[in-house]
């Protein structure tokens, strides 16, 4: 199905199933432990051996030799595989560095070997006996030092990293009110619950991998490329994923090592990365250094805005695109955005929930508050003053929908913003300094081709097959809702099968593009199935109404299952997009409101209230959408107050590489969270008129917390995380 013109009225608009709150249909399986995650496919895989990865002990250098004699003699050991044993491996499209080191080492804990044994304990013990002789090289681990000579870059156009409209420098110099400030965000870990894990089994020259991966086709393709084998010989399975946040978008070493270990052992091998191994072996959100300059007229009109950011990655890596939202969020005739990418020998940087906008808004939305204070304007009024309904770079290009002002104003009313004291450090509740903060939320919507297969059985059950994954986002449920709405059956009459490379290729789970695109793909397949049903019944498909398990055309009506009485009906299609996203800017918007208390004695910060107001097209399932937003808000609190991968700049690794020392929010850290969805249906986005929501809930949260802390204390912090040591000595005197 081609989507080339705005959506018109269609069966989804009935919203008998879509748009209604439904509990997760996979919930009972997960809460009873019956949903098998990557390491748990015991029924499908018998007699599996256990793999344990050996990681490089240096961050940069070369392997002179690997001594495996003692390890091979250890109890239970079946096989040990190194790069020297397997010959030249390929490198996947989405991998910045190779997943098995040798002879060169690119970063600390890059995999150098897999040990396979009868038990996990035996594999782990033997891995400790592997001796690697390294020639240590000189690495680059200091982002600030590396950025001094880093070139401009662009995520999509290497060598181009500066975007200009008008004459920023002239306009900024002449602006009567100016801000010029620098902000920093640290490296972040995904810290998802389920570790990276895979089970690999060979049948002759065919490979089956049960793994934890967000993007089935990407992973399958890159695994085949890495192993130098035909893609058709690889089956990639990931029906349940215990969290990913972008860390599992791409093939990682667990799948490669399990496959190599299984071939060497002659039997299936299962491998799960240890938590300390994950932080340095897999990807992370790169740290940023951001400079923001804003010039405005005395009435608050922005006349000049610049956002420059620098980050680091391995050679041939990509920047953390922290300036993306600044191109689109606020008006301003004279604009400059740029990115610099430094080469670092730290573990690979890559996508983490809302890459670009999440760290970018952590800086921009503090800057907007700072500028509002200089102008003596309310922070919300300043943002509203500089709203735009068109792309500031291309005024002919309008936003398909843009309800930022409503998000801010309705959120302010709901949150009680009028009670905020604009003078910082004035509100106390006992020993607590209390403040409110706000930040805009922005995340682009991306259209991606997505396919599905739909079956109608003799029993009237509608089965949907797509390689889409469910990473805790509710994919099973919203896909079932879509099929139920289209085919006119209750959601209980729909079976959803996901995460199998034998199914049609979907958009996958990532970039906030999964839900809207995969449901649009299911919509397209259901349109074809409706046509097949009408034809089988002798009805005109254009007139057929599917409702209540029946198909009606004129004065004729029949049970849906009758169409399949002579045999199962099968339809397959995919949603493909034209140029609507070139004519219209497709984005999602929101506003975050936070109230904090800062202990005047200790400097500790505690969240008291949180509210998110989101405008993100049609909400397919309010229950799962709310869960996604409050989860993202929680992640935003972590980014603001505690999360930081600490870099050892001498030896080039992340020191706090486990959940004991990499701190994330727990229940006691999070207050009640309210979420409001504005009623929208974006006909420029897709036939579902829906857009993504899961990453919007993160964007801006960190800045809202920072702004609330400033309002509480009068101390402005620009370096995340906003820990108490950074403001303790500047707090107001204890009352």
């Amino acid at each position: 199905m081609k989507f080339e013109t705005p959506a018109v009225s269609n069966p989804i608009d009935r919203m008998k199933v879509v748009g209604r709150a439904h509990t997760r249909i996979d919930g009972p399986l997960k809460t009873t432990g019956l949903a098998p995650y990557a390491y748990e496919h015991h029924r499908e895989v018998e007699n599996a051996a256990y793999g344990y990865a050996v990681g490089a002990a240096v961050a940069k250098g070369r392997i002179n030799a690997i001594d495996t004699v003692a390890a091979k003699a250890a109890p239970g050991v079946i096989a040990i595989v190194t790069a020297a044993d397997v010959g030249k491996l390929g490198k996947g499209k989405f991998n910045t560095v190779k997943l098995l080191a040798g002879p060169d080492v690119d970063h600390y804990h890059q995999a150098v070997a897999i040990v396979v044994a009868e038990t996990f304990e035996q594999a782990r013990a033997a891995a400790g006996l592997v001796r690697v002789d390294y020639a240590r090289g000189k690495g680059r681990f200091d982002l600030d030092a590396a950025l001094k000579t880093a070139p401009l870059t662009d995520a999509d156009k290497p060598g181009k990293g500066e975007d200009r409209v008008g004459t920023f420098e002239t306009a900024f110099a002449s602006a009567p009110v100016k801000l010029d400030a620098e902000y920093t965000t640290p490296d972040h870990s995904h810290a998802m619950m389920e570790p990276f894990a895979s089970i690999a089994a060979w049948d002759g020259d065919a490979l089956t991998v049960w793994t934890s991966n967000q993007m089935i086709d990407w992973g399958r393709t890159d695994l085949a490329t890495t192993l130098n084998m035909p893609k058709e010989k690889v089956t990639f399975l990931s029906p349940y994923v215990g969290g990913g946040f972008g860390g599992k978008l791409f093939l990682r070493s667990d799948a490669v090592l399990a496959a190599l270990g299984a071939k060497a052992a002659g039997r299936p091998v299962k491998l799960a990365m240890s938590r300390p191994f994950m932080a340095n072996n897999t990807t992370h959100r790169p740290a940023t250094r951001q400079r923001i300059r804003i010039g405005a007229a005395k009435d608050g009109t922005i006349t000049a805005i610049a956002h420059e950011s620098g980050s680091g990655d391995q050679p041939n890596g990509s920047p953390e695109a922290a300036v993306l939202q600044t191109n689109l969020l606020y008006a301003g005739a004279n604009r400059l955005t740029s990115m610099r990418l430094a080469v670092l020998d730290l573990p690979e940087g890559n996508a983490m929930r809302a890459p670009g906008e999440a760290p970018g808004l952590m800086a921009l939305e503090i800057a907007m508050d700072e500028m509002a204070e200089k102008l003596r304007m309310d922070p919300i009024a300043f943002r509203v003053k500089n709203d735009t309904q068109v792309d500031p770079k291309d005024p002919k290009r309008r936003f398909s929908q843009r309800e930022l002002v409503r998000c801010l104003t309705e959120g302010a009313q709901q949150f009680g913003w009028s009670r905020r004291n604009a003078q910082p450090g004035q509100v106390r509740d006992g020993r607590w300094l209390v403040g409110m903060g706000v930040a805009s939320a922005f995340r682009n919507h991306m259209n991606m081709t997505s396919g599905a297969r739909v079956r109608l059985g003799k029993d009237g059950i509608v089965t949907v097959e797509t390689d889409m994954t469910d990473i805790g986002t509710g994919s099973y449920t919203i896909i079932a809702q879509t099929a139920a709405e289209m085919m006119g059956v209750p959601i209980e009459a729909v079976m959803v099968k996901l995460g199998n490379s034998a199914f049609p290729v979907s958009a996958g789970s990532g970039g906030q593009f999964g839900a809207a695109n995969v449901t649009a793909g299911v919509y397209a397949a259901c349109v074809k199935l409706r046509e097949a049903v009408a034809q089988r019944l002798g009805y005109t498909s254009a007139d057929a109404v599917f409702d209540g398990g029946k198909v009606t055309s004129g004065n004729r009506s029949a049970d849906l299952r009758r169409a399949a009485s002579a045999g199962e009906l099968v339809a397959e299609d995919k949603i493909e997009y034209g140029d609507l996203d070139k004519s219209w800017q497709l984005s999602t918007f929101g506003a975050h409101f936070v109230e904090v208390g800062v202990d005047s004695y200790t400097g500790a910060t505690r969240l008291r209230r949180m509210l998110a107001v989101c405008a993100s097209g049609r909400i397919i399932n309010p229950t799962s959408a709310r869960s996604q937003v409050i989860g993202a808000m929680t992640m935003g609190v972590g980014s603001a107050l505690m999360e930081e991968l600490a870099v050892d700049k001498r030896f080039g690794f992340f020191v706090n590489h486990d959940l004991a020392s990499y701190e994330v929010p727990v229940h006691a850290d999070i207050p009640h969270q309210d979420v409001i969805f504005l009623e929208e249906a974006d006909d420029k986005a897709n036939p579902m008129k829906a857009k993504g929501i899961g990453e919007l809930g993160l964007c801006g949260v960190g800045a809202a917390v920072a702004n609330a802390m400033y309002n509480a204390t009068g101390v402005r912090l620009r370096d995340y995380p906003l820990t108490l040591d950074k403001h303790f000595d500047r707090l107001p005197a204890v009352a």
Side-chain angles (χ1 to χ4, degrees):
M1 172 183 288
K2 298 280 190 182
F3 185 74
E4 298 175 309
T5 57
V8 295
S9 179
N10 63 56
I12 297 297
D13 293 332
R14 298 180 306 177
M15 296 184 69
K16 291 186 175 182
V17 187
V18 167
R20 303 301 178 103
H22 289 272
T23 56
R24 296 266 293 274
I25 61 177
D26 54 322
L29 292 174
K30 291 182 175 178
T31 54
T32 57
L34 296 177
Y37 289 89
Y39 203 66
E40 302 170 341
H41 290 274
H42 312 302
R43 294 181 181 178
E44 298 96 325
V45 185
E46 297 180 352
N47 194 34
Y50 291 80
Y52 197 88
V54 179
V58 301
K60 188 70 176 177
R62 190 173 179 85
I63 298 171
N64 291 329
I66 301 180
D67 182 354
T68 61
V69 174
K72 287 180 177 177
V77 172
I78 302 168
I80 299 177
V81 181
T82 70
D85 300 315
V86 297
K88 184 175 176 58
L89 295 175
K91 185 168 75 68
K93 173 183 176 182
F94 295 103
N95 297 130
T96 305
V97 298
K98 54 188 180 294
L99 299 179
L100 180 59
D104 294 323
V105 173
D106 300 300
H107 62 83
Y108 182 77
H109 265 178
Q110 187 176 19
V112 300
I114 176 176
V115 177
V116 180
E118 294 289 349
T119 69
F120 170 79
E121 292 78 9
Q122 289 172 334
R124 181 177 59 184
L129 299 176
V130 175
R131 296 290 177 259
V132 186
D133 177 28
Y134 299 99
R136 189 190 299 272
K138 185 177 181 181
R140 296 154 292 189
F141 313 126
D142 187 329
L143 176 60
D144 292 304
L147 280 174
K148 291 177 181 177
T149 56
L152 290 167
T153 190
D154 185 277
D156 301 314
K157 301 171 185 174
K160 179 185 181 298
E162 191 173 83
D163 206 342
R164 288 180 174 273
V165 177
T167 54
F168 166 77
E169 286 82 2
T170 302
F172 182 73
S174 62
V177 185
K178 303 182 185 70
L179 170 75
D180 186 344
E182 295 184 359
Y183 307 85
T184 70
T185 64
D187 298 287
H188 285 156
S189 172
H190 298 93
M192 72 291 287
M193 287 296 291
E194 183 195 20
F196 292 82
S198 294
I199 301 175
W202 290 87
D203 182 5
D205 62 349
L207 172 65
T208 300
V209 178
W210 293 262
T211 190
S212 187
N213 192 281
Q214 297 173 226
M215 306 289 289
I216 297 298
D217 190 59
W218 290 5
R220 179 196 188 198
T221 302
D222 276 4
L223 181 58
T225 299
T226 303
L227 299 179
N228 298 310
M229 61 185 293
K231 177 179 176 179
E232 295 72 25
K233 291 288 186 178
V234 177
T235 299
F236 215 69
L237 302 167
S238 194
Y240 298 99
V241 181
F245 305 125
K248 296 175 181 174
L249 280 174
F250 317 116
L251 179 73
R252 301 311 310 167
S253 61
D254 57 296
V256 175
L257 294 177
L260 294 173
K263 177 163 278 191
R267 59 193 272 198
V269 166
K270 59 192 307 184
L271 182 151
M273 290 188 189
S274 65
R275 188 64 62 173
F277 194 73
M278 286 169 56
N280 286 289
N281 177 268
T282 67
T283 64
H284 68 283
R285 189 198 300 283
T288 68
R289 304 292 184 263
Q290 303 178 49
R291 180 189 183 191
I292 296 177
R293 289 174 284 173
I294 303 174
K298 290 183 179 180
D299 68 352
T301 302
I302 293 176
T303 57
I305 184 167
H307 192 166
E308 299 160 284
S309 179
S311 58
D313 199 2
Q314 287 276 331
N316 301 313
S318 298
E320 178 67 40
V323 304
L324 289 180
Q325 71 291 314
T326 309
N327 287 320
L328 292 162
L329 189 50
Y330 298 115
N334 302 283
R335 318 175 67 85
L336 164 65
T337 56
S338 70
M339 293 183 288
R340 293 186 181 275
L341 180 63
V343 174
L344 295 179
D345 298 305
L346 292 171
E348 178 184 346
N350 218 312
M352 181 171 165
R353 196 175 201 170
E357 287 98 335
L361 284 163
M362 289 170 76
L364 177 64
E365 287 300 292
I366 294 180
M368 289 295 289
D369 258 44
E370 292 195 66
M371 192 65 181
E373 185 176 46
K374 285 176 174 288
L375 290 159
R376 298 182 181 179
M377 291 182 69
D378 177 83
I380 292 177
F382 179 51
R383 289 169 170 85
V384 171
K385 174 80 174 178
N386 290 285
D387 183 51
T388 174
Q389 293 298 311
V390 299
D391 179 348
K393 291 168 54 180
D394 182 6
K396 294 179 181 177
R397 189 165 173 262
R398 297 187 63 81
F399 286 90
S400 60
Q401 285 185 333
R402 181 182 166 111
E403 296 287 359
L404 175 60
V405 171
R406 276 188 63 200
C407 290
L408 289 164
T409 55
E410 293 186 21
Q413 182 177 1
Q414 179 73 19
F415 198 69
W417 185 258
S418 61
R419 298 194 299 271
R420 171 183 175 270
N421 190 324
Q423 184 67 29
Q426 301 303 305
V427 179
R428 292 179 181 263
D429 180 6
R431 65 189 288 166
W432 295 93
L433 298 161
V434 180
M436 294 186 194
V438 67
S440 297
F442 173 92
R443 177 75 169 143
N444 272 330
H445 169 78
M446 291 177 276
N447 285 336
M448 292 185 68
T449 298
S450 192
R453 184 183 303 124
V454 189
R455 302 176 182 273
L456 175 63
K458 292 181 180 180
D459 55 2
I461 297 296
V462 177
T463 301
V464 183
E465 298 171 343
T466 171
D467 80 354
M468 180 65 178
T469 50
D470 192 322
I471 60 173
T473 47
S475 299
Y476 280 100
T477 308
I478 61 172
I479 288 171
Q481 288 178 262
T482 303
E485 192 79 79
M486 290 296 293
M487 301 310 299
V489 299
I491 194 170
E492 294 78 14
V494 179
M495 177 183 293
V496 179
K497 296 181 179 180
L498 301 180
N500 189 326
S501 60
F503 297 157
V505 176
S506 71
S509 296
Q512 195 176 268
F513 53 64
N517 287 299
V518 74
T519 52
V522 173
Y523 170 96
C526 285
V527 168
K528 275 199 169 182
L529 183 60
R530 286 164 60 103
E531 292 170 352
V533 167
Q535 184 177 9
R536 180 74 64 87
L537 294 173
Y539 296 170
T540 303
S541 60
D543 299 335
V545 176
F546 291 68
D547 192 21
K550 295 182 178 297
V551 186
T552 303
S553 178
N555 59 1
R556 296 184 295 170
S557 183
D559 285 343
L560 177 65
R561 70 180 63 192
R562 195 178 109 193
S565 60
E568 180 186 53
L569 287 174
V570 182
E572 182 177 331
D573 203 356
K574 59 186 176 183
I575 191 77
E576 296 180 285
Y577 296 94
D579 294 333
L580 274 179
D581 59 347
K582 292 183 176 63
S583 303
W584 299 85
Q585 175 60 42
L586 305 177
S587 302
T588 62
F589 297 89
H592 288 289
F593 295 83
V594 170
E595 182 180 270
V596 304
V598 178
D599 192 316
S600 60
Y601 287 83
T602 68
T605 300
R606 294 288 180 266
L607 274 293
R608 294 162 66 102
R609 292 188 295 140
M610 298 183 75
L611 167 67
V613 183
C614 302
S616 192
R618 173 174 284 155
I619 301 300
I620 298 172
N621 186 335
T623 299
S624 58
R626 180 182 183 275
S627 294
Q628 280 295 289
V629 173
I630 65 173
M633 292 163 72
T634 302
M635 180 177 271
V637 172
S639 298
L641 296 179
M642 58 192 72
E643 292 191 47
E644 176 182 18
L645 281 171
V647 180
D648 185 317
K649 296 178 183 178
R650 303 163 304 162
F651 300 112
F653 69 99
F654 298 129
V655 181
N656 52 335
H657 48 211
D658 57 39
L659 290 184
S661 52
Y662 181 84
E663 297 182 1
V664 296
V666 296
H667 285 292
D669 296 311
I670 303 300
H672 178 71
Q673 298 162 306
D674 285 318
V675 181
I676 297 171
F677 298 116
L678 299 187
E679 195 166 317
E680 281 192 346
D682 194 334
D683 63 355
K684 316 295 190 308
N686 47 59
M688 301 294 295
K689 303 173 185 175
K691 294 181 285 197
I693 189 72
E695 297 185 330
L696 182 70
L698 167 62
C699 296
V701 174
V705 173
N707 292 334
M709 290 174 64
Y710 174 74
N711 182 242
T713 66
V715 181
R716 175 62 72 187
L717 299 180
R718 301 188 181 104
D719 301 302
Y720 293 93
L722 311 171
T723 47
L724 60 86
D725 57 295
K726 295 174 181 174
H727 68 186
F728 178 74
D729 60 346
R730 294 184 284 161
L731 293 178
V734 174

